[in-house]
């Protein structure tokens, strides 16, 4: 947890030092809303990154992109731990995977 906090602090400090508009988008799992067990919040956030559903990405000057993690797991791993997605069938999961793969290819 300390490593994550230090990374977040560094990103905030960097954003504060920049002139102009800055946007920080954070993924904060909603345990109740997502239907995730109490001890699975951090795992859910990590799976969001590892599956490519929520890439860690930094854009500077609107043109320089730095991707801090690559998609390494199927989206089904991320969806499986959340009760809010239990209604999705194999076709829908495959469609989500295709959308994520297409985004990463771009």
């Amino acid at each position: 947890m300390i490593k994550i906090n230090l990374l977040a602090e560094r990103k905030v400090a960097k954003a504060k030092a920049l002139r102009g508009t800055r946007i920080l988008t954070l993924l904060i799992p909603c345990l109740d809303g997502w239907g995730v067990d109490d001890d699975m919040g951090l795992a859910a956030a990590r799976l969001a990154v590892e599956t490519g559903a929520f890439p860690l990405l930094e854009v500077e000057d609107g043109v320089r992109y730095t991707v801090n993690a690559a998609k390494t797991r199927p989206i089904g791993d991320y969806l499986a731990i959340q009760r809010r997605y239990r209604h999705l069938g194999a076709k829908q999961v495959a469609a989500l995977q295709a959308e994520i793969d297409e985004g990463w290819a771009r």
Side-chain angles (χ1 to χ4, degrees):
M1 197 66 151
I2 292 171
K3 182 179 177 184
I4 293 169
N5 290 339
L6 291 175
L7 177 61
E9 285 180 25
R10 284 198 315 264
K11 294 294 181 184
V12 169
K14 182 177 181 178
K16 287 170 83 174
L18 296 172
R19 291 182 50 113
T21 303
R22 285 105 38 192
I23 298 171
L24 296 173
T25 303
L26 306 173
L27 177 67
I28 309 293
C30 174
L31 302 178
D32 291 336
W34 289 15
V36 176
D37 292 335
D38 290 345
D39 62 344
M40 291 297 290
L42 185 55
R46 283 191 176 134
L47 279 170
V49 171
E50 292 170 359
T51 60
F54 195 91
L56 292 179
L57 156 68
E58 189 171 337
V59 181
E60 292 186 47
D61 301 324
V63 293
R64 290 192 315 259
Y65 286 75
T66 304
V67 178
N68 297 315
K71 179 179 74 65
T72 59
R73 297 179 68 164
I75 191 64
D77 292 354
Y78 174 58
L79 303 177
I81 66 165
Q82 301 176 62
R83 286 189 298 278
R84 67 183 177 154
Y85 293 120
R86 65 179 167 225
H87 67 283
L88 296 180
K91 271 186 165 180
Q92 292 165 310
V93 172
L96 285 171
Q97 186 67 64
E99 186 177 325
I100 289 169
D101 292 345
E102 180 183 318
W104 276 89
R106 274 186 275 138

